[in-house]
Amino acid sequence: ALRRGGRFVLDTGCAAESLLPQLDERIWMPVGDLLMLAENDYDPVSSRLDTTYTFVQGARREVRRSSQWVFTVGELDALLAAAGLRPLAHWSDLARTPFALGAQRLIVLAEKRG
């Protein structure tokens, strides 16, 4: 709960404008002695990103799946407003660089209305 005038910060790398311009359909990544494959499938109608992760370590192979909804900055602002918060600023880093398409990070500063 925030008092009237209280500040709230949302920090995410998963805003649509951050994630989608750089989203690879398939990406292999070494993680220590593991090899990880991430296969991404984005459904624009539902705004949902489904990812299948395959972990390979020697002869051992394990598969896990995840799903997440991907919101635009405008949709996040609307969610904040519905919670009684007024977005004040949108930055892409702690140096307060204005947020722009393709920025890897979104920081929203919002204030409790009242």
Side-chain angles (χ1 to χ4, degrees):
L2 288 175
R3 292 182 184 177
R4 195 172 353 159
R7 299 280 174 100
F8 177 81
V9 175
L10 172 68
D11 186 349
T12 182
C14 292
E17 294 87 349
S18 295
L19 187 63
L20 298 179
Q22 303 175 54
L23 187 66
D24 290 323
E25 189 174 324
R26 298 182 72 171
I27 185 167
W28 284 97
M29 294 172 278
V31 181
D33 63 341
L34 297 172
L35 191 56
M36 182 183 81
L37 169 65
E39 297 175 283
N40 297 304
D41 181 32
Y42 178 70
D43 177 15
V45 174
S46 67
S47 299
R48 194 174 84 193
L49 175 62
D50 294 318
T51 304
T52 301
Y53 296 99
T54 303
F55 302 92
V56 179
Q57 184 179 37
R60 188 171 162 223
R61 181 176 175 265
E62 203 167 310
V63 177
R64 295 285 184 256
R65 290 176 178 76
S66 72
S67 290
Q68 63 181 342
W69 277 265
V70 180
F71 297 101
T72 65
V73 175
E75 289 170 327
L76 291 170
D77 281 355
L79 290 169
L80 291 168
L85 300 166
R86 179 174 56 104
L88 301 173
H90 301 84
W91 302 307
S92 62
D93 56 34
L94 295 176
R96 298 183 178 183
T97 303
F99 182 77
L101 181 65
Q104 293 184 1
R105 183 178 187 185
L106 168 66
I107 301 169
V108 181
L109 174 65
E111 183 176 76
K112 176 81 175 209
R113 290 184 297 211

